Amino acid sequence: MTASVPVLSRRPRALLVGGGLSLVLCLVGVVHLGLGASGVGIGDIARVLVGSGDQNTEDVLLGARLPRTLTGLVVGVALGVSGVLIQGATRNPLAAPDTLGVNAGAYFAVVLVAFTGADLGPIPSGGAAFLGGLVAIGLVYLLTSGGVLTPGRVLLAGATVALAGTSAAELMQILDVQATRGLFFWGNGTLMQSGLERPLTLGALVLFGALLAPLLARPLDLMGLGDETAQAMGVRVERIRPAAFLIAVLLSASAVSLAGPIGFVGLIAPVMVRQLGVRKHALLIPLAAVLSAALVLTADAAAQLTLPPSAGYAEIPVGVVTALIGGPVFMALARRVSTGDADSGAAVTVAGQRHLPAYTVAIGAGLVALAAAMAIGLRIGDVHISWGQLGTALFGSGDPMTEAVLSYRLPRILVAALAGACLAVAGSAVQAVVRNPLAEPGLVGVTGGASVAAMLVILVVPSAPAVALPFAAGIGGVLMLSLVVLVARGPKSGGRSGLDPTRVVLVGLGAGATAMALVNIMVVGAQMNISAALTWLNGSTYGRDYTALNWLVLPAVVAVLLVFASRPVNMLALGDELPRALGLRLGRVRLLVLGAGAVLASGTAAAVGAIGFVGLVAPHLARRLVGNSAARMVPMAAVLGAVLVVSSDALGRWLIAPTEIPVGIVTSLIGAPYLVWLLRRNQDA
Amino acid sequence: MHRMLRALATGGTAVALMLAAVGCGGGTAGDAGDESGGDKSGKGKIAIDTERGTVHLDKPAKKVVALEWTYTEELVALGVTPVGSADNKGYGTWITAKGAELPKQVTDVGDRNEPSLEKIRALRPDLIVIDDDRSKSNLKQLKSIAPVASFKYTTKPQLETMKHNFTELAKAVGKEDKAKEVIGQIDTKAADLKSRLAKADKAGLKYALAQGFTANGTASIRMLTDDAFAPQVLNLAGLKNGWKGKSDVWGMTTVGVEGLTKVEKDSTFLYVASEADNPFTGDLAGNPVWKNLSFVKQDRTRALDPGTWLFGGPLSAVQILDETGKALKV
């Protein structure tokens, strides 16, 4: 975990690594310059450089190639240095501008600027990105600095902040497609530039930041030994850490405003350089910068070679390629990370059972809340219906128009309620097995696996019946879950079969990134009508009628069975030894409960697509209200899940009517702050 | 990372959907008893050919809801004011052809992808016109409100498809004569432009047609191939498309500035770009590649009116011809 600092730096090796990396960067840079839509090759460019080239080549070089290659260099250097600083300041190899939410915060700020319609030059828009990044890392810092700075906690906080920023950015894109046009593509990071002005201006900024970074080299080396040791050796940790963050944000915000959010480079490059034996920050900073630039240019060159711009309709954004490569690296790193959560068995511990209200009171209040949410959901919408009209219609004597309108709202609300309940129970089941309150199906990579499989079906067998989509998605989801669990088990840990909860989520994050990169490549490469898949993936109750309830019958039955089987489910929480001693066939129970979670999650996805956070928030709240026993917790979670999805659905229909916000975005916007609060609260406990 | 977080944002999906698929058997959400409001037993005096088979109407539809701009435009062209239309604000921004203005009283029923079903229901339409690609999630519900005419825009050749859809729509509202007249206007306009071009010694002029905007400060250019609607309209006037790139379903190739070097040398560059966001006069103006393109050097770059809609119906077709004539000064 901790980057140990060898007392002696091995100079010859550092020289070798430095020379090698610089050579690689030069080679990649030359290849990158030779790629482009006009067919101007390296040979033509070489002739220009020796003074015998034609005007055309010179124009292409100045007007398209150099701006693009320079952008790659600037972005690479910015992300590499930023990554080193963040990893050094947090002593965490998985920390980077993207995993700590800085990229997402900067991206959100840029989308916000586009949304308000202000036309800013590169510097002011970079300023907005800077502020966004600062707010993001500030939040993460606030969430973690008060308590123990465990690496897992920092990353969870970062992922949550990033999630909130991205959801908000997506919401703005739904609100105004035209103003934020093109940002969807840019949202994945692209090096395309049509002039040298932007890369040069922002490049100057990056150069400034990169030159400041070495000033922190020695303090960061010492901080690698631990805060106290560093303090004792005269490092003012409380100043150095914010300074490192500040420069890191400046750098990554410049990169984001130049090319959009490009993930994983800032994470991989420093780790790789360290693997090569370079530990001292004075060398780490420049070498990571060089390697990171080489990575960005290689990724972009690979994208251009895969789908040559001269032949294609669109390009693969460079960020997609880096995510494709970076996801597995992230998984491999997360596999070895010690998160400090393995023994407690929870990344987010459940509060002790203080002042629990009586179970009947809690569930009664929950049902009242559900009834209220459903009534309000029935009442609000595009067509005005008074409470009186609603009442008479419900008792069978309403006017035809009211009844017609209710015939749309009622099935939708019922589907939302049942789906919410099933999601909550699915979350409870998976969490019980993995013994991790964060292990809701969406947070452990299952969504990604399901999406890849669904897209594959659409691409390979476009004529497949509708039922094939959730079927394939199910297989993809199960495979991904198996992979994540397998990887997260990590190196042999003395026969302990309990999964480190934070590690499961971290590995899941990496798996999800790779999967979504694959989906993006399929989308761009196939250039086909994918609205079916996108509709399904977005999580929406739009247009659902009673037939969607069919999908939920089986899950509902399974949910009831789970409540009846509460004794073995409860025992799963006790770890390995005790249940075995009490005669529980642990393997079989785990499989059955996971299977139950699978049926629950699959039924819901078939009915309403992928709705996030319900499986996390509802069980957690339920535990706080009625304690840990499955017999009480599961029904309570179901009621809360129903309330959450029904209210989110109503909000989504009402906020910007007649346009709708997909319910999945609303639950994310509610769920992310909840998770933030959870993390914050947890450290006080 | 962004993508991944998006996955999380919409997260919480299946662990094993197949179990449910097996459990629920044939009860799929999509195929249960498609009852069509007015499409009873296939009998009716009017039969219109749609993407999803023949739709029958007893009498011409009077109250029509259109859920795609092109069909809203077509209804207006036929002299039928729709009772409801999706995204009226967007329509007003993008469709500015003469005679295509949407009267204020037309109810906005929301987004084109997920229009408000209850609002449509409240309008009590007797025909709903939708784009087939956008119908995945609501076809069944719409059919229970009124007969649904589902058309596809991108079927090749797009100009013929537009004429066919337009004629079928005209049948549905009892305005076939008007449809003939409107389609005739396209040919008349094209012939007129052709003769004016000939007079100006520009017959068979080669062009490239582009739509441009900037995304995060960088030009993004959509080049239209002969698979697209707008070039097919221009070709009626004897003009020749000098862009041969590979195209997507809409008939476009999206390129950066370097891609423009593939425009055939003798082409006149026609483009549509909004006034506030014109990459050709803004972002690209100082770019060496742009400055050295033959149509830039020889001043053969022409802006069409920013409101020219390149993916529209018959009125937009006429507007494309008019604007091109104006731009070429014939």
Side-chain angles (χ1 to χ4, degrees):
Chain A
M1 194 56 237
T2 303
S4 65
V5 185
V7 185
L8 296 166
S9 75
R10 288 181 282 175
R11 285 204 182 279
R13 171 174 248 183
L15 274 178
L16 196 71
V17 172
L21 287 181
S22 309
L23 192 68
V24 169
L25 179 60
C26 286
L27 283 175
V28 175
V30 168
V31 172
H32 190 259
L33 271 179
L35 295 171
S38 64
V40 168
I42 274 302
D44 306 306
I45 292 174
R47 274 190 287 283
V48 169
L49 294 180
V50 298
S52 64
D54 55 4
Q55 185 61 38
N56 178 36
T57 309
E58 202 179 313
D59 295 334
V60 168
L61 188 64
L62 285 177
R65 301 293 174 82
L66 269 183
R68 189 169 185 147
T69 308
L70 189 64
T71 300
L73 275 175
V74 168
V75 168
V77 168
L79 293 176
V81 176
S82 175
V84 172
L85 292 178
I86 289 185
Q87 290 180 3
T90 56
R91 290 199 297 278
N92 183 346
L94 285 174
D98 49 346
T99 51
L100 291 197
V102 176
N103 278 359
Y107 177 61
F108 167 74
V110 175
V111 176
L112 186 68
V113 167
F115 179 68
T116 55
D119 186 21
L120 303 175
I123 291 293
S125 116
F130 180 64
L131 286 181
L134 265 191
V135 169
I137 205 162
L139 264 175
V140 174
Y141 196 66
L142 265 182
L143 284 174
T144 48
S145 65
V148 218
L149 199 74
T150 66
R153 197 64 56 75
V154 173
L155 291 167
L156 283 181
T160 312
V161 168
L163 176 63
T166 316
S167 291
E170 284 199 352
L171 179 61
M172 275 188 286
Q173 293 189 24
I174 288 177
L175 290 178
D176 192 345
V177 181
Q178 295 312 328
T180 54
R181 177 178 53 176
L183 290 179
F184 180 74
F185 182 74
W186 179 67
N188 284 306
T190 169
L191 299 185
M192 182 115 69
Q193 292 292 334
S194 44
L196 282 165
E197 190 205 340
R198 282 163 48 82
L200 282 178
T201 354
L202 288 161
L205 211 57
V206 167
L207 191 68
F208 171 70
L211 289 177
L212 281 182
L215 297 178
L216 298 173
R218 196 174 145 68
L220 285 177
D221 283 344
L222 295 173
M223 276 166 68
L225 303 168
D227 280 9
E228 273 114 58
T229 320
Q231 294 271 26
M233 295 175 81
V235 176
R236 308 184 70 167
V237 175
E238 75 289 347
R239 284 197 192 171
I240 296 299
R241 188 167 282 140
F245 283 153
L246 211 62
I247 299 175
V249 171
L250 172 77
L251 288 168
S252 52
S254 308
V256 168
S257 53
L258 184 55
I262 295 177
F264 289 106
V265 176
L267 184 134
I268 301 174
V271 170
M272 277 172 73
V273 173
R274 255 189 245 113
Q275 293 277 334
L276 291 170
V278 177
R279 302 275 157 129
K280 284 217 159 205
H281 279 85
L283 285 169
L284 199 53
I285 291 168
L287 291 186
V290 170
L291 177 62
S292 168
L295 280 175
V296 171
L297 289 178
T298 309
D300 193 46
Q304 291 193 62
L305 286 170
T306 320
L307 211 66
S310 53
Y313 354 76
E315 300 190 8
I316 298 176
V318 64
V320 170
V321 185
T322 60
L324 190 69
I325 309 163
V329 176
F330 186 84
M331 286 171 80
L333 286 172
R335 177 191 171 86
R336 287 181 308 167
V337 101
S338 75
T339 64
D341 292 324
D343 299 323
S344 68
V348 177
T349 47
V350 178
Q353 308 193 4
R354 317 164 260 197
H355 313 299
L356 293 182
Y359 173 58
T360 34
V361 174
I363 201 119
L367 286 172
V368 169
L370 179 58
M374 290 175 84
I376 293 171
L378 279 174
R379 163 84 164 69
I380 62 175
D382 295 331
V383 174
H384 178 77
I385 291 179
S386 69
W387 286 112
Q389 278 172 310
L390 178 60
T392 44
L394 286 180
F395 293 107
S397 57
D399 59 290
M401 193 56 229
T402 308
E403 295 206 329
V405 168
L406 290 183
S407 75
Y408 294 115
R409 292 183 193 167
L410 188 59
R412 231 182 120 147
I413 288 168
L414 290 178
V415 168
L418 202 48
C422 288
L423 275 174
V425 180
S428 312
V430 178
Q431 286 167 17
V433 177
V434 190
R435 289 173 61 208
N436 178 356
L438 287 178
E440 75 140 8
L443 266 175
V444 290
V446 179
T447 313
S451 311
V452 170
M455 280 301 294
L456 267 178
V457 167
I458 290 169
L459 280 182
V460 181
V461 232
S463 56
V467 66
L469 213 65
F471 189 82
I475 298 175
V478 168
L479 287 179
M480 191 58 103
L481 182 63
S482 324
L483 180 74
V484 168
V485 168
L486 213 70
V487 172
R489 277 186 179 276
K492 278 249 159 55
S493 49
R496 196 181 55 202
S497 60
L499 284 165
D500 180 331
T502 305
R503 198 189 287 153
V504 173
V505 177
L506 293 181
V507 172
L509 287 172
T514 310
M516 288 321 285
L518 279 172
V519 169
N520 274 325
I521 288 177
M522 287 192 267
V523 168
V524 176
Q527 189 62 206
M528 52 173 298
N529 177 19
I530 47 137
S531 61
L534 293 182
T535 309
W536 182 80
L537 291 174
N538 253 324
S540 165
T541 47
Y542 173 80
R544 297 301 188 277
D545 60 12
Y546 293 112
T547 50
L549 285 174
N550 289 349
W551 287 102
L552 295 167
V553 173
L554 183 69
V557 173
V558 170
V560 173
L561 287 178
L562 205 67
V563 175
F564 280 118
S566 62
R567 188 178 164 272
V569 177
N570 286 339
M571 282 166 73
L572 286 176
L574 301 174
D576 285 359
E577 309 305 325
L578 195 58
R580 275 221 182 87
L582 293 172
L584 189 72
R585 302 179 71 170
L586 207 55
R588 184 187 287 183
V589 172
R590 279 200 180 125
L591 205 66
L592 279 174
V593 176
L594 253 191
V599 175
L600 284 158
S602 62
T604 338
V608 294
I611 297 180
F613 274 105
V614 181
L616 184 135
V617 172
H620 191 266
L621 271 178
R623 266 187 221 105
R624 283 174 50 79
L625 285 175
V626 300
N628 284 319
S629 165
R632 295 179 166 192
M633 190 279 262
V634 171
M636 190 70 227
V639 171
L640 291 174
V643 173
L644 182 56
V645 177
V646 170
S647 341
S648 300
D649 183 52
L651 271 178
R653 277 188 293 134
W654 171 69
L655 282 176
I656 51 166
T659 306
E660 291 200 6
I661 307 169
V663 63
I665 291 190
V666 182
T667 56
S668 294
L669 288 174
I670 298 173
Y674 181 82
L675 190 54
V676 166
W677 174 79
L678 205 61
L679 290 161
R680 177 78 191 150
R681 206 188 142 276
N682 207 41
Q683 54 169 293
D684 307 333
Chain B
M1 194 68 188
H2 167 69
R3 292 276 92 204
M4 156 185 129
L5 291 163
R6 187 179 137 83
L8 286 176
T10 53
T13 188
V15 178
L17 292 157
M18 81 246 184
L19 292 171
V22 172
C24 291
T28 74
D31 59 9
D34 277 345
E35 285 291 330
S36 310
D39 188 9
K40 291 180 192 88
S41 66
K43 284 187 202 123
K45 288 176 195 126
I46 303 172
I48 55 172
D49 180 29
T50 76
E51 187 64 22
R52 295 188 178 249
T54 311
V55 171
H56 296 273
L57 299 174
D58 289 327
K59 53 184 194 322
K62 291 264 181 281
K63 296 165 77 176
V64 188
V65 168
L67 300 179
E68 177 62 61
W69 296 335
T70 302
Y71 310 122
T72 304
E73 180 196 319
E74 291 182 357
L75 286 169
V76 175
L78 291 167
V80 176
T81 301
V83 290
S85 150
D87 192 0
N88 291 352
K89 185 168 164 253
Y91 181 91
T93 309
W94 291 99
I95 286 98
T96 61
K98 211 185 294 169
E101 300 83 13
L102 199 59
K104 284 230 165 30
Q105 77 266 23
V106 177
T107 305
D108 191 330
V109 297
D111 181 68
R112 287 179 294 165
N113 284 314
E114 295 193 339
S116 166
L117 294 167
E118 53 195 61
K119 209 160 218 178
I120 297 172
R121 178 78 177 230
L123 291 169
R124 303 175 201 277
D126 40 26
L127 180 70
I128 300 169
V129 193
I130 61 171
D131 176 67
D132 197 60
D133 281 342
R134 295 194 203 261
S135 70
K136 297 275 188 299
S137 56
N138 55 19
L139 188 62
K140 203 166 102 187
Q141 281 82 0
L142 291 173
K143 276 184 167 178
S144 73
I145 297 174
V148 172
S150 176
F151 294 121
K152 205 173 173 92
Y153 189 85
T154 52
T155 307
K156 290 179 193 178
Q158 287 185 12
L159 177 58
E160 285 313 307
T161 304
M162 189 281 288
K163 286 182 184 169
H164 173 80
N165 292 345
F166 181 54
T167 310
E168 294 302 315
L169 184 59
K171 263 195 231 166
V173 295
K175 302 270 186 179
E176 284 172 272
D177 293 344
K178 182 72 179 171
K180 278 202 191 98
E181 181 197 322
V182 174
I183 290 178
Q185 279 170 11
I186 304 177
D187 295 322
T188 317
K189 277 281 177 195
D192 176 45
L193 179 60
K194 192 173 189 169
S195 69
R196 281 188 288 149
L197 283 166
K199 246 183 249 161
D201 205 22
K202 289 178 179 168
L205 181 99
K206 196 178 273 181
Y207 70 95
L209 182 60
Q211 190 190 37
F213 56 91
T214 50
N216 187 36
T218 297
S220 189
I221 305 155
R222 294 159 158 188
M223 300 299 301
L224 286 96
T225 71
D226 277 338
D227 282 344
F229 170 76
Q232 289 175 358
V233 171
L234 290 181
N235 295 352
L236 290 178
L239 293 160
K240 294 206 163 48
N241 193 348
W243 177 262
K244 299 282 186 283
K246 197 171 167 183
S247 66
D248 62 13
V249 285
W250 287 89
M252 301 188 295
T253 323
T254 305
V255 299
V257 64
E258 198 180 334
L260 292 179
T261 55
K262 294 288 180 191
V263 173
E264 289 173 18
K265 294 274 176 274
D266 45 349
S267 307
T268 297
F269 191 75
L270 306 170
Y271 69 80
V272 177
S274 92
E275 269 160 42
D277 176 29
N278 185 338
F280 306 110
T281 55
D283 181 47
L284 289 178
N287 184 287
V289 179
W290 172 258
K291 284 197 289 193
N292 202 37
L293 292 165
S294 55
F295 53 78
V296 178
K297 273 199 299 200
Q298 293 158 22
D299 195 22
R300 275 183 281 109
T301 305
R302 305 278 180 272
L304 307 187
D305 185 277
T308 313
W309 183 232
L310 300 176
F311 311 94
L315 301 179
S316 291
V318 168
Q319 187 188 23
I320 290 167
L321 291 164
D322 280 343
E323 284 302 319
T324 303
K326 248 191 256 172
L328 295 175
K329 299 201 172 70
V330 294

